[in-house]
Every structure is written in C-alpha cells, then in structure tokens.
Amino acid sequence: MKKDRTKTKPENKNEKKYDILLVSMIYYQKGWLQMKKRILSIAVCVCLLLTGCGVGNTLGIEGLVASPNLTDEQSNIHQTLENSVGKDIVLKYPKNGNNRSAYVVADIDMEFTDEALVFYEFKNAAAGDSGVRINVMDQTEGGQWKSVFDLAGKGTDIDKVAISTLGSDRLKNIIVGYSSMTADGKVLQISRYDGNEFMPSIFEDSYSIMEILDLDKDSFKEIFTVLNNTTTSTAPIKSSTVINAIVL
C-alpha cells in the first residue's frame, strides 16, 4: 500500500484570518443617530490594515522625560489645577497625534478667551479614582484661569487628543482617545463645552486606529476609525474589522 506523499502547507498560527469585513458610516446629528452603510474598496481596507492595527506604544512618556520647563501660561494653569485637585498628581501626556502636551490650550467655546484641558492622574488614587482624568478650565477676560469641570477618563493613558469641528456643525468638539494597560482596544470619547455647560460624553466608541480628516472631500472633517476585533477560543483565531466615519 502506497503512502500518501501529498504535502500540505503548514499552518501559520500567526497569520490573521479576516472572516468579517463590515464597513459602516455612522452619522450622529442633532441628537439622533442615523446609520448609513457604504461599501468601501477592499484596497483601502488592506492598506489601512497594513499600516498596523496593533497596540501602540505602551511605555508611558511620563517615565521617559523629566518635568518640562513650563511657560508662564502653563505655570498658571498648573497652579489652578493644584488649587482645584491638590498636589498629589502626575501629568499624563498623549502618545500620538499633534497634541503631545499634558496642557492643551484652545478656543473651544468660540468666545473671546481660550480654554484649557489638563490630563493627569492621582499618585495614590483610591480604586474609584484611578486612571486618567481631565480638568477643563476656562479663562476670564482678565486672563485668570478657573477650573470648571473635572472628568474621569476611559483608560489609563491618553492615545490622542484633538479639538475640532465635525461635519457642518460649527461647534468644536473635545476628541480624546484613551488606551489601557489591561486592554488591547482603545476608547474614543467626544465631549463639548459651550462656555456654560460641559457635556462630558456626547459620543463613545471603540477603535484601533483613529484619524480626523475630510473623508468625502466636502470641506468638512470626519473621524475615521478602524477597529480590529480578535477573538480566541478552541477554534482558530478569527478577526473582524470595522471601519467607521463619524460626523456629529
């Protein structure tokens, strides 16, 4: 009896198997969430996946750099922060994006003065106070800073921060991406401050990659996210990729 000498290609356990490709456009507008599905080209998806959907740098910048020399404005902001939450804090720095400072100063409410976001965590935090926090400050016409809101974040680190309008809405949004030491995925949270009221979370979603760009070339910006889900069990590893464009 002859033996079957047919050779089979060895299975590469590290090879990703993408069995689901879901492409959706999410529009969140005037308090209502409307879903519109569009199929994008496979080539675009492949290019995005090749750029890397894995976990980013998990080494905290806080451990790599010494305390920077603060500008006069940052010193005033930091003093306001300590007056509000105490001195037992550590600043948190975004790991990616254009804003890499723990202090983000911008005109958020479209008034005459700027606002400031400060990212920090408590050194000796209780269980309910652990993780990143955001202190939102407003500036008076005399140039003094005051803390108006303090928000618990959605992770242990800051991935990315941006202040931007989205879609045709003229209001600016506080766009923060959080990462965590205990989870592979990241969390997107969008907040708003209009000078009177702070809306801590008008939209939340999970992502692996996030970019803010004019996706459909209509002169308005959208948030473009890619989420790569990987599930493990006794069966082979399977992944699903979700691509979203978010407009508020």
Side-chain angles (χ1 to χ4, degrees):
M1 178 176 177
K2 295 183 179 181
K3 293 184 179 180
D4 185 2
R5 298 181 180 273
T6 303
K7 295 183 179 180
T8 59
K9 184 179 179 181
E11 181 181 358
N12 183 359
K13 295 183 179 179
N14 295 325
E15 182 181 356
K16 294 183 178 179
K17 299 179 180 179
Y18 297 99
D19 62 330
I20 300 175
L21 183 62
L22 174 62
V23 181
S24 61
M25 303 290 289
I26 300 179
Y27 292 88
Y28 183 94
Q29 209 167 29
K30 297 181 180 179
W32 295 94
L33 187 64
Q34 298 177 341
M35 300 293 294
K36 292 186 177 180
K37 293 184 179 180
R38 295 180 181 175
I39 303 301
L40 301 180
S41 72
I42 298 299
V44 172
C45 300
V46 172
C47 289
L48 287 169
L49 291 171
L50 289 176
T51 60
C53 289
V55 181
N57 179 21
T58 58
L59 181 61
I61 296 178
E62 300 82 18
L64 297 178
V65 296
S67 299
N69 295 323
L70 302 181
T71 64
D72 290 341
E73 182 178 51
Q74 289 174 338
S75 296
N76 292 334
I77 292 172
H78 192 81
Q79 185 61 54
T80 302
L81 177 66
E82 290 186 342
N83 293 340
S84 176
V85 303
K87 296 183 178 181
D88 191 29
I89 57 175
V90 177
L91 296 176
K92 302 292 290 185
Y93 295 82
K95 299 177 182 298
N96 298 295
N98 295 326
N99 293 314
R100 297 295 185 95
S101 174
Y103 310 92
V104 177
V105 180
D107 180 14
I108 299 174
D109 58 4
M110 303 182 69
E111 293 182 346
F112 296 104
T113 58
D114 285 336
E115 287 70 46
L117 308 175
V118 187
F119 302 96
Y120 73 98
E121 67 179 359
F122 290 110
K123 291 181 181 178
N124 301 304
D129 294 326
S130 60
V132 178
R133 300 189 67 86
I134 305 177
N135 194 275
V136 182
M137 300 184 187
D138 206 343
Q139 193 176 32
T140 65
E141 293 183 0
Q144 300 298 315
W145 291 99
K146 61 178 181 179
S147 175
V148 295
F149 198 86
D150 196 80
L151 171 69
K154 297 292 182 178
T156 57
D157 287 292
I158 302 292
D159 173 49
K160 186 176 295 188
V161 179
I163 309 296
S164 178
T165 58
L166 293 173
S168 58
D169 195 337
R170 59 185 292 271
L171 295 177
K172 291 184 179 180
N173 302 278
I174 302 169
I175 303 165
V176 182
Y178 295 93
S179 60
S180 177
M181 294 172 55
T182 59
D184 292 338
K186 302 172 186 177
V187 178
L188 163 66
Q189 185 179 53
I190 303 177
S191 309
R192 276 184 179 174
Y193 177 64
D194 63 3
N196 296 310
E197 180 185 5
F198 183 77
M199 293 162 276
S201 184
I202 62 173
F203 184 84
E204 291 184 17
D205 201 5
S206 300
Y207 73 96
S208 301
I209 296 176
M210 175 180 66
E211 296 294 339
I212 301 172
L213 68 165
D214 182 6
L215 185 65
D216 51 4
K217 303 300 180 181
D218 62 351
S219 301
F220 299 118
K221 292 182 179 179
E222 298 86 32
I223 298 179
F224 186 66
T225 65
V226 176
L227 174 62
N228 185 30
N229 283 324
T230 301
T231 57
T232 59
S233 63
T234 56
I237 297 175
K238 295 184 178 181
S239 299
S240 62
T241 301
V242 181
I243 300 179
N244 293 330
I246 304 163
V247 181
L248 297 184

